[in-house]
Amino acid sequence: MSGKGLYDIHCHIVPGVDDGATDIEETRKLLQMEYDQGVRTIIATPHFRFRMFETPVERVKQQFQMVEKAAAEIAPDLQVYSGCEFHANMEMLPMLREQRVMTMAGSRYVLTEFSHNSEENYILERLNALLSGGYKPIVAHIERYEATRTSLDFVEELVGMGAYMQINADSIAGKDGFFTRRYCNKVMKSGLLHFVGSDCHNSTRRISRIGEAYNRVIAKFGQDYADELFIHNPAQIIKK
Ligand SMILES: [Fe+2]
């Protein structure tokens, strides 16, 4: 789809650790799908969320080894790294420091998820805590939260304090409806977006559309901006 090496920094391809890939066969299908979309570098981000997804980090690392092997079998230029989609809680800092939860590819970046109805003050407080702790929070799929969805000023405030914003490829590609796509366009037009992730979970319904979203961004905002979102910014995570 694309001659360039795109990145996917948000996906659930590690088998058997969350609600993503159920087994290694599904992982293989997802990796192939990513490759066909033009993705060459992936950060796998299984959920960590209290009372829902609490897979121990040792188990995630163990399962991730299978992902590495599967990726190498698909193509030598397909790189995979380990990360986490960390649902915000009050113990984030000690958990990160004690490495009970992974950052993004061993960097200081932390993919941070909130609840649909998380309040502005809570989002601000948690992101500030991460920033003060020397981490670089990336807010996962900002198109989903009421607080960020209803106020670009709030998004601007978060960016101003040093947080990074991520949107899902599906939302940009229009798979989540007209209003979501319109919101994404507004965020991009305002220069408030840093990353796009597929958030793929399986090979049938929640698939990877990174290449499709990349082409949409090129068509609407030009090649340079698309490259910034899908290549240059994510490359900074890997560089550390
Ligand atoms: Fe996710």
Side-chain angles (χ1 to χ4, degrees), residues 92-93 96-97 108-110 112 123-139 157-165:
M92 295 183 92
L93 284 174
L96 287 163
R97 285 192 196 117
R108 300 300 288 181
Y109 289 88
V110 178
T112 310
I123 295 175
L124 280 170
E125 192 279 329
R126 285 293 78 201
L127 294 178
N128 259 322
L130 286 168
L131 288 161
S132 312
Y135 293 100
K136 299 176 176 181
I138 301 171
V139 183
E157 188 179 351
L158 300 181
V159 173
M161 75 196 212
Y164 297 93
M165 301 297 124

Side-chain angles (χ1 to χ4, degrees), residues 10 12 47 85 199:
H10 181 169
H12 301 269
H47 290 284
E85 179 177 14
D199 203 4

Side-chain angles (χ1 to χ4, degrees), residues 102-236:
M102 275 185 267
T103 62
M104 300 290 274
S107 69
R108 300 300 288 181
Y109 289 88
V110 178
L111 184 63
T112 310
E113 185 186 24
F114 290 94
S115 296
H116 170 74
N117 57 355
S118 290
E119 289 183 10
E120 283 193 11
N121 283 344
Y122 179 73
I123 295 175
L124 280 170
E125 192 279 329
R126 285 293 78 201
L127 294 178
N128 259 322
L130 286 168
L131 288 161
S132 312
Y135 293 100
K136 299 176 176 181
I138 301 171
V139 183
H141 37 60
I142 61 163
E143 70 274 31
R144 286 208 199 153
Y145 317 124
E146 231 169 273
T148 40
R149 177 83 179 226
T150 54
S151 169
L152 275 193
D153 288 345
F154 182 57
V155 176
E156 209 175 323
E157 188 179 351
L158 300 181
V159 173
M161 75 196 212
Y164 297 93
M165 301 297 124
Q166 183 254 307
I167 272 178
N168 284 355
D170 270 9
S171 304
I172 291 174
K175 302 295 173 193
D176 287 322
F178 169 79
F179 292 104
T180 298
R181 193 169 78 190
R182 192 176 65 175
Y183 170 77
C184 297
N185 285 337
K186 276 188 197 165
V187 174
M188 286 190 276
K189 204 175 167 192
S190 311
L192 295 170
L193 187 62
H194 306 96
F195 300 104
V196 178
S198 74
D199 203 4
C200 66
H201 279 66
N202 53 60
S203 64
T204 47
R205 215 171 44 84
R206 299 179 73 178
I207 64 174
S208 174
R209 294 190 176 90
I210 288 282
E212 209 176 313
Y214 176 65
N215 288 335
R216 283 254 185 195
V217 177
I218 293 174
K220 194 138 182 85
F221 299 101
Q223 186 76 51
D224 289 352
Y225 193 44
D227 287 350
E228 189 182 314
L229 297 178
F230 292 79
I231 301 169
H232 304 316
N233 288 349
Q236 292 298 316

Side-chain angles (χ1 to χ4, degrees), residues 9-60:
I9 65 143
H10 181 169
C11 58
H12 301 269
I13 57 167
V14 182
V17 296
D18 64 0
D19 60 344
T22 45
D23 53 36
I24 191 65
E25 277 318 305
E26 191 69 356
T27 300
R28 281 200 188 94
K29 284 182 195 165
L30 284 168
L31 287 169
Q32 186 63 57
M33 211 172 253
E34 294 269 40
Y35 198 81
D36 295 342
Q37 286 280 312
V39 174
R40 296 294 178 268
T41 311
I42 296 172
I43 305 179
T45 53
H47 290 284
F48 186 95
R49 181 173 183 170
F50 280 141
R51 289 173 296 282
M52 213 182 274
F53 306 106
E54 298 191 18
T55 310
V57 73
E58 295 75 25
R59 168 86 180 142
V60 175

